[in-house]
Coordinates of all heavy atoms in Angstrom, one line a residue:
M1 N -173.7 88.9 111.1 CA -172.9 87.7 111.3 C -173.3 86.7 110.2 O -174.5 86.4 110.1 CB -173.3 87.3 112.7 CG -172.7 86.0 113.1 SD -173.1 85.4 114.7 CE -171.6 85.7 115.6
S2 N -172.4 86.2 109.5 CA -172.7 85.2 108.5 C -172.2 83.8 108.9 O -171.2 83.7 109.6 CB -172.0 85.6 107.2 OG -170.6 85.6 107.3
T3 N -173.0 82.9 108.6 CA -172.6 81.5 108.9 C -172.5 80.7 107.6 O -173.2 80.9 106.7 CB -173.7 80.8 109.8 OG1 -174.9 80.9 109.1 CG2 -173.8 81.5 111.2
K4 N -171.5 79.9 107.6 CA -171.2 79.1 106.4 C -172.2 77.8 106.4 O -172.1 77.1 107.4 CB -169.8 78.7 106.4 CG -169.4 77.9 105.1 CD -167.9 77.5 105.3 CE -167.7 76.3 104.5 NZ -166.3 75.7 104.7
A5 N -172.8 77.6 105.4 CA -173.7 76.5 105.3 C -172.8 75.2 105.1 O -171.8 75.3 104.5 CB -174.6 76.5 104.0
P6 N -173.2 74.1 105.9 CA -172.3 72.9 105.7 C -172.4 72.3 104.3 O -173.5 72.4 103.7 CB -172.9 72.0 106.8 CG -174.3 72.5 107.0 CD -174.3 73.9 106.7
Q7 N -171.3 71.8 103.8 CA -171.3 71.2 102.6 C -171.8 69.8 102.7 O -171.6 69.0 103.6 CB -169.7 71.0 102.1 CG -169.1 72.3 101.8 CD -169.6 72.9 100.5 OE1 -170.0 72.2 99.6 NE2 -169.5 74.2 100.4
R8 N -172.7 69.4 101.7 CA -173.3 68.1 101.8 C -172.7 67.2 100.8 O -172.3 67.6 99.7 CB -174.8 68.2 101.4 CG -175.6 69.1 102.5 CD -177.0 68.8 102.4 NE -177.5 67.5 102.6 CZ -178.0 67.0 103.7 NH1 -178.0 67.8 104.8 NH2 -178.4 65.8 103.8
L9 N -172.5 65.9 101.1 CA -171.9 65.0 100.2 C -173.0 64.3 99.6 O -173.9 63.6 100.2 CB -171.0 64.0 101.0 CG -169.8 64.6 101.6 CD1 -169.0 63.6 102.6 CD2 -168.8 65.2 100.6
L10 N -173.2 64.4 98.2 CA -174.2 63.9 97.5 C -174.4 62.4 97.6 O -175.4 61.9 97.8 CB -174.1 64.3 96.0 CG -175.3 63.9 95.1 CD1 -176.6 64.4 95.6 CD2 -175.0 64.3 93.7
F11 N -173.2 61.7 97.6 CA -173.3 60.2 97.6 C -173.8 59.6 98.9 O -174.5 58.6 99.0 CB -171.9 59.6 97.3 CG -171.0 59.6 98.4 CD1 -170.8 58.6 99.3 CD2 -170.1 60.7 98.6 CE1 -170.0 58.6 100.4 CE2 -169.2 60.8 99.7 CZ -169.1 59.7 100.5
V12 N -173.7 60.4 100.0 CA -174.2 60.0 101.3 C -175.7 60.1 101.2 O -176.5 59.2 101.7 CB -173.6 60.8 102.4 CG1 -174.3 60.4 103.9 CG2 -172.1 60.5 102.6
D13 N -176.1 61.2 100.7 CA -177.7 61.4 100.6 C -178.3 60.4 99.7 O -179.3 59.9 99.9 CB -177.9 62.8 100.2 CG -177.6 63.9 101.2 OD1 -177.6 63.5 102.4 OD2 -177.4 65.0 100.8
V14 N -177.7 60.1 98.6 CA -178.1 59.1 97.6 C -178.2 57.8 98.2 O -179.3 57.0 98.0 CB -177.4 59.1 96.3 CG1 -177.7 57.9 95.4 CG2 -177.5 60.4 95.6
L15 N -177.2 57.3 98.9 CA -177.1 56.0 99.6 C -178.2 55.9 100.6 O -178.8 54.9 100.8 CB -175.8 55.7 100.1 CG -174.7 55.4 99.0 CD1 -173.4 55.2 99.6 CD2 -175.1 54.1 98.2
R16 N -178.4 57.0 101.4 CA -179.5 57.0 102.4 C -180.8 56.8 101.7 O -181.7 56.1 102.2 CB -179.4 58.3 103.3 CG -178.6 58.1 104.4 CD -178.8 59.2 105.5 NE -178.7 60.5 104.8 CZ -178.4 61.6 105.4 NH1 -178.3 61.6 106.8 NH2 -178.4 62.8 104.9
G17 N -181.1 57.5 100.6 CA -182.3 57.4 99.9 C -182.5 56.0 99.4 O -183.6 55.4 99.4
L18 N -181.5 55.4 98.8 CA -181.6 53.9 98.5 C -181.9 53.0 99.6 O -182.7 52.1 99.5 CB -180.2 53.6 97.7 CG -180.0 54.2 96.3 CD1 -178.7 53.7 95.8 CD2 -181.1 53.7 95.4
A19 N -181.3 53.2 100.7 CA -181.5 52.5 101.9 C -183.0 52.5 102.3 O -183.7 51.5 102.6 CB -180.7 52.8 103.1
V20 N -183.6 53.7 102.2 CA -185.0 53.9 102.5 C -185.9 53.3 101.5 O -186.9 52.5 101.9 CB -185.4 55.5 102.6 CG1 -186.8 55.7 102.6 CG2 -184.7 56.1 103.8
L21 N -185.6 53.2 100.2 CA -186.3 52.5 99.2 C -186.2 51.0 99.4 O -187.2 50.3 99.3 CB -185.7 52.9 97.9 CG -186.1 54.3 97.4 CD1 -185.4 54.6 96.0 CD2 -187.6 54.5 97.3
Y22 N -185.0 50.6 99.9 CA -184.9 49.1 100.2 C -185.8 48.7 101.3 O -186.4 47.7 101.4 CB -183.5 48.7 100.3 CG -182.7 48.5 99.1 CD1 -181.4 49.0 99.0 CD2 -183.2 47.8 98.0 CE1 -180.7 48.9 97.8 CE2 -182.5 47.6 96.8 CZ -181.1 48.2 96.8 OH -180.5 48.0 95.7
M23 N -185.8 49.6 102.3 CA -186.7 49.3 103.5 C -188.1 49.2 103.1 O -188.9 48.3 103.6 CB -186.4 50.4 104.6 CG -185.2 50.1 105.4 SD -185.2 51.1 106.8 CE -184.2 52.5 106.2
I24 N -188.6 50.2 102.2 CA -190.0 50.2 101.8 C -190.3 48.9 101.0 O -191.3 48.3 101.2 CB -190.2 51.5 101.0 CG1 -190.1 52.7 101.8 CG2 -191.6 51.3 100.3 CD1 -190.2 54.0 101.1
Q25 N -189.4 48.6 100.1 CA -189.5 47.4 99.3 C -189.6 46.1 100.1 O -190.5 45.2 99.9 CB -188.4 47.2 98.3 CG -188.3 45.9 97.5 CD -187.6 44.8 98.2 OE1 -186.5 45.0 98.8 NE2 -188.1 43.6 98.1
L26 N -188.8 46.0 101.2 CA -188.8 44.9 102.0 C -190.2 44.7 102.8 O -190.7 43.7 102.8 CB -187.7 44.9 103.1 CG -187.7 43.8 104.1 CD1 -187.2 42.5 103.4 CD2 -186.7 44.2 105.2
H27 N -190.6 45.8 103.3 CA -191.9 45.8 104.1 C -193.1 45.5 103.2 O -194.1 44.9 103.6 CB -192.0 47.0 104.9 CG -191.1 47.1 106.1 ND1 -189.8 47.6 106.1 CD2 -191.2 46.6 107.4 CE1 -189.2 47.4 107.2 NE2 -190.0 46.8 108.0
T28 N -193.1 46.2 102.1 CA -194.4 46.1 101.2 C -194.4 44.7 100.6 O -195.5 44.2 100.3 CB -194.4 47.2 100.1 OG1 -193.2 47.1 99.3 CG2 -194.5 48.6 100.7
S29 N -193.2 44.1 100.2 CA -193.2 42.8 99.6 C -193.8 41.7 100.6 O -194.5 40.8 100.1 CB -191.8 42.4 99.2 OG -190.9 42.3 100.3
H30 N -193.7 41.9 101.8 CA -194.2 41.0 102.9 C -195.7 41.2 102.9 O -196.4 40.2 103.2 CB -193.6 41.2 104.2 CG -192.2 40.6 104.3 ND1 -192.0 39.2 104.6 CD2 -191.0 41.0 104.2 CE1 -190.8 38.9 104.7 NE2 -190.1 40.1 104.3
G31 N -196.2 42.4 102.8 CA -197.6 42.6 102.9 C -198.4 42.3 101.6 O -199.6 42.0 101.7
W32 N -197.8 42.5 100.5 CA -198.6 42.5 99.2 C -198.4 41.3 98.4 O -199.3 40.9 97.6 CB -198.1 43.6 98.3 CG -198.5 45.0 98.8 CD1 -199.4 45.2 99.8 CD2 -198.2 46.3 98.3 NE1 -199.6 46.6 100.0 CE2 -198.8 47.2 99.0 CE3 -197.4 46.6 97.2 CZ2 -198.7 48.6 98.7 CZ3 -197.2 48.0 96.9 CH2 -197.9 49.0 97.7
L33 N -197.4 40.5 98.7 CA -197.2 39.2 97.9 C -197.9 38.0 98.6 O -197.8 38.0 99.8 CB -195.7 38.9 97.7 CG -195.0 39.9 96.8 CD1 -193.5 39.5 96.7 CD2 -195.6 39.9 95.3
L34 N -198.4 37.2 97.8 CA -199.0 35.9 98.4 C -197.8 35.0 98.9 O -196.7 35.0 98.3 CB -199.8 35.2 97.3 CG -200.9 35.9 96.7 CD1 -201.5 35.1 95.5 CD2 -202.0 36.0 97.8
P35 N -198.1 34.2 99.9 CA -197.1 33.4 100.6 C -196.5 32.5 99.5 O -195.3 32.1 99.6 CB -197.7 32.7 101.6 CG -198.9 33.6 102.1 CD -199.3 34.2 100.7
E36 N -197.3 31.9 98.6 CA -196.7 30.9 97.6 C -195.7 31.6 96.6 O -195.1 30.9 95.9 CB -197.8 30.2 96.9 CG -198.8 31.0 96.3 CD -200.0 31.4 97.2 OE1 -200.0 31.1 98.4 OE2 -201.0 31.8 96.6
T37 N -195.8 32.9 96.5 CA -194.8 33.6 95.5 C -193.5 34.0 96.2 O -192.6 34.5 95.5 CB -195.5 34.8 95.0 OG1 -195.8 35.7 96.0 CG2 -196.7 34.5 94.2
R38 N -193.4 33.8 97.5 CA -192.1 34.2 98.2 C -191.1 33.2 98.2 O -190.8 32.6 99.3 CB -192.6 34.6 99.6 CG -193.5 35.7 99.8 CD -193.9 36.0 101.2 NE -195.0 36.9 101.2 CZ -195.6 37.1 102.4 NH1 -195.2 36.5 103.5 NH2 -196.6 37.8 102.4
H39 N -190.5 32.9 97.1 CA -189.5 31.9 97.0 C -188.6 32.2 95.7 O -189.1 33.0 94.9 CB -190.0 30.5 97.0 CG -190.9 30.2 95.8 ND1 -190.8 30.8 94.6 CD2 -192.0 29.4 95.8 CE1 -191.8 30.4 93.7 NE2 -192.6 29.5 94.5
G40 N -187.6 31.6 95.7 CA -186.6 31.8 94.4 C -185.5 32.7 94.7 O -185.3 33.4 95.8
D41 N -184.7 32.8 93.7 CA -183.4 33.7 93.8 C -183.7 35.1 93.9 O -183.1 35.9 94.7 CB -182.5 33.4 92.6 CG -181.9 32.1 92.6 OD1 -181.8 31.4 93.7 OD2 -181.6 31.5 91.5
I42 N -184.7 35.6 93.2 CA -185.1 37.0 93.2 C -185.5 37.3 94.6 O -185.2 38.4 95.2 CB -186.0 37.5 92.1 CG1 -185.4 37.2 90.8 CG2 -186.5 38.7 92.3 CD1 -186.3 37.4 89.6
W43 N -186.4 36.5 95.2 CA -187.0 36.8 96.5 C -185.9 36.8 97.5 O -185.8 37.6 98.4 CB -188.0 35.7 96.8 CG -188.5 35.9 98.3 CD1 -188.1 35.1 99.3 CD2 -189.4 36.8 98.8 NE1 -188.8 35.5 100.5 CE2 -189.6 36.6 100.1 CE3 -190.1 37.8 98.3 CZ2 -190.5 37.3 101.0 CZ3 -191.0 38.7 99.0 CH2 -191.1 38.3 100.3
D44 N -184.9 35.8 97.4 CA -183.8 35.8 98.4 C -182.9 37.0 98.3 O -182.5 37.5 99.3 CB -183.0 34.5 98.1 CG -183.7 33.2 98.4 OD1 -184.8 33.3 99.2 OD2 -183.3 32.2 98.0
A45 N -182.6 37.4 97.0 CA -181.8 38.7 97.0 C -182.6 39.9 97.4 O -181.9 40.7 98.1 CB -181.5 38.8 95.4
A46 N -183.8 40.0 97.2 CA -184.6 41.1 97.7 C -184.6 41.2 99.2 O -184.4 42.2 99.9 CB -186.0 41.1 97.2
Q47 N -184.7 40.0 99.8 CA -184.7 39.9 101.3 C -183.3 40.2 101.8 O -183.1 40.9 102.9 CB -185.2 38.5 101.8 CG -186.6 38.2 101.4 CD -187.5 39.2 101.8 OE1 -187.7 39.5 103.0 NE2 -188.1 39.9 100.8
F48 N -182.3 39.8 101.1 CA -180.9 40.1 101.6 C -180.7 41.6 101.6 O -180.2 42.1 102.6 CB -180.0 39.4 100.7 CG -178.5 39.7 101.0 CD1 -177.9 39.2 102.2 CD2 -177.7 40.5 100.3 CE1 -176.6 39.4 102.5 CE2 -176.4 40.9 100.6 CZ -175.8 40.2 101.7
F49 N -180.9 42.2 100.5 CA -180.7 43.7 100.3 C -181.6 44.4 101.3 O -181.2 45.5 101.8 CB -180.7 44.1 98.9 CG -179.5 43.6 98.1 CD1 -179.7 42.8 97.1 CD2 -178.2 44.0 98.4 CE1 -178.6 42.3 96.4 CE2 -177.1 43.6 97.7 CZ -177.4 42.7 96.6
G50 N -182.8 44.0 101.4 CA -183.7 44.7 102.2 C -183.3 44.6 103.8 O -183.5 45.6 104.5
G51 N -182.7 43.5 104.1 CA -182.2 43.4 105.5 C -181.0 44.2 105.7 O -180.7 44.5 106.9
L52 N -180.3 44.6 104.7 CA -179.1 45.5 104.9 C -179.5 47.0 105.0 O -178.7 47.8 105.2 CB -178.1 45.3 103.7 CG -177.3 43.9 103.7 CD1 -176.5 43.9 102.5 CD2 -176.6 43.7 104.9
A53 N -180.7 47.3 104.7 CA -181.2 48.7 104.5 C -181.1 49.4 105.8 O -180.5 50.5 105.8 CB -182.6 48.7 103.9
A54 N -181.6 48.9 106.8 CA -181.6 49.7 108.2 C -180.1 49.8 108.6 O -179.8 50.9 109.0 CB -182.4 48.9 109.2
P55 N -179.2 48.8 108.7 CA -178.0 49.1 109.0 C -177.2 50.1 108.2 O -176.4 50.9 108.7 CB -177.2 47.7 109.1 CG -178.4 46.7 109.1 CD -179.5 47.4 108.5
L56 N -177.3 50.0 106.9 CA -176.8 50.9 106.0 C -177.3 52.3 106.2 O -176.5 53.3 106.2 CB -177.1 50.6 104.5 CG -176.6 51.5 103.4 CD1 -175.1 51.5 103.4 CD2 -177.1 51.1 102.0
F57 N -178.6 52.6 106.5 CA -179.0 53.9 106.8 C -178.4 54.4 108.1 O -178.0 55.6 108.1 CB -180.6 53.8 107.0 CG -181.2 55.2 107.2 CD1 -181.5 56.0 106.2 CD2 -181.5 55.6 108.5 CE1 -182.1 57.2 106.4 CE2 -182.0 56.8 108.7 CZ -182.3 57.7 107.7
L58 N -178.4 53.6 109.1 CA -177.8 54.0 110.3 C -176.4 54.4 110.3 O -175.8 55.4 110.8 CB -178.0 53.1 111.4 CG -179.5 52.9 111.9 CD1 -179.6 51.8 112.9 CD2 -180.0 54.2 112.6
L59 N -175.6 53.6 109.5 CA -174.3 53.8 109.2 C -174.0 55.2 108.5 O -173.2 55.9 108.9 CB -173.6 52.7 108.4 CG -172.2 53.0 108.0 CD1 -171.2 52.7 109.1 CD2 -171.9 51.9 106.8
L60 N -174.8 55.4 107.5 CA -174.7 56.6 106.7 C -175.1 57.8 107.5 O -174.6 59.0 107.4 CB -175.5 56.6 105.4 CG -174.9 55.6 104.5 CD1 -175.9 55.3 103.3 CD2 -173.6 56.1 103.9
A61 N -176.2 57.7 108.4 CA -176.6 58.8 109.3 C -175.5 59.1 110.2 O -175.2 60.3 110.4 CB -177.9 58.4 110.0
G62 N -174.8 58.1 110.8 CA -173.7 58.4 111.6 C -172.5 59.1 110.9 O -171.9 59.9 111.5
A63 N -172.2 58.6 109.8 CA -171.1 59.2 109.0 C -171.5 60.6 108.6 O -170.5 61.4 108.6 CB -170.9 58.2 107.7
G64 N -172.7 60.8 108.3 CA -173.1 62.2 107.9 C -172.9 63.2 109.2 O -172.4 64.3 108.9
L65 N -173.3 62.6 110.3 CA -173.1 63.4 111.6 C -171.6 63.7 111.8 O -171.2 64.8 112.2 CB -173.7 62.8 112.7 CG -175.3 63.0 112.9 CD1 -175.8 62.2 114.0 CD2 -175.6 64.4 113.1
G66 N -170.8 62.7 111.7 CA -169.4 62.8 112.0 C -168.7 63.8 111.0 O -167.9 64.6 111.4
L67 N -169.1 63.7 109.7 CA -168.5 64.6 108.8 C -169.0 66.0 109.0 O -168.3 67.0 108.8 CB -169.0 64.1 107.4 CG -168.3 62.9 106.9 CD1 -168.9 62.4 105.6 CD2 -166.8 63.1 106.7
Q68 N -170.3 66.2 109.4 CA -170.7 67.6 109.8 C -170.1 68.1 111.0 O -169.7 69.3 111.0 CB -172.3 67.4 110.0 CG -172.9 68.9 110.3 CD -174.4 68.8 110.5 OE1 -174.9 67.7 110.6 NE2 -175.1 69.8 110.7
W69 N -169.8 67.4 112.2 CA -169.1 67.8 113.2 C -167.7 68.2 113.0 O -167.1 68.9 113.7 CB -169.2 66.8 114.3 CG -170.7 66.7 114.9 CD1 -171.7 67.7 114.8 CD2 -171.3 65.7 115.7 NE1 -172.8 67.3 115.4 CE2 -172.5 66.0 116.0 CE3 -170.8 64.5 116.1 CZ2 -173.4 65.2 116.7 CZ3 -171.6 63.6 116.8 CH2 -172.9 64.1 117.2
K70 N -167.2 67.5 111.9 CA -165.7 67.8 111.6 C -165.4 69.2 111.2 O -164.4 69.7 111.5 CB -165.3 66.8 110.5 CG -163.8 66.9 110.1 CD -163.7 66.2 108.8 CE -163.5 67.2 107.7 NZ -163.2 66.7 106.4
E71 N -166.4 69.8 110.6 CA -166.3 71.2 110.1 C -166.3 72.2 111.2 O -166.7 72.2 112.2 CB -167.3 71.5 109.1 CG -167.1 70.6 107.8 CD -168.2 70.9 106.9 OE1 -169.0 71.8 107.1 OE2 -168.2 70.3 105.8

């Protein structure tokens, strides 16, 4: 009995990996940077994208499951 392996969508895996990296960046920046260095446009952008990481990961995980169940 042969089973067909599910096709993976590379862009979903890549975006999930980027979301994980953003989550790591967000958490480590709070622990490693001095409080007086946490300001400015770069800090604000990093916090914004880091805050989107968890919802993006969950969205992509759900999309991946939905695409897998479709087959």
Side-chain angles (χ1 to χ4, degrees):
M1 177 181 250
S2 67
T3 60
K4 181 182 155 192
Q7 294 287 333
R8 296 197 59 102
L9 297 175
L10 183 61
F11 77 93
V12 173
D13 291 336
V14 169
L15 287 176
R16 268 195 310 203
L18 287 175
V20 169
L21 289 176
Y22 281 133
M23 281 190 266
I24 292 169
Q25 174 271 321
L26 178 70
H27 288 89
T28 57
S29 65
H30 282 274
W32 289 352
L33 293 177
L34 296 172
E36 55 268 10
T37 62
R38 299 179 192 169
H39 58 33
D41 292 336
I42 293 174
W43 174 259
D44 292 339
Q47 297 309 294
F48 175 76
F49 288 115
L52 292 177
L56 178 63
F57 182 85
L58 291 174
L59 174 75
L60 292 167
L65 279 175
L67 291 170
Q68 182 180 4
W69 288 340
K70 182 187 102 175
E71 294 178 0

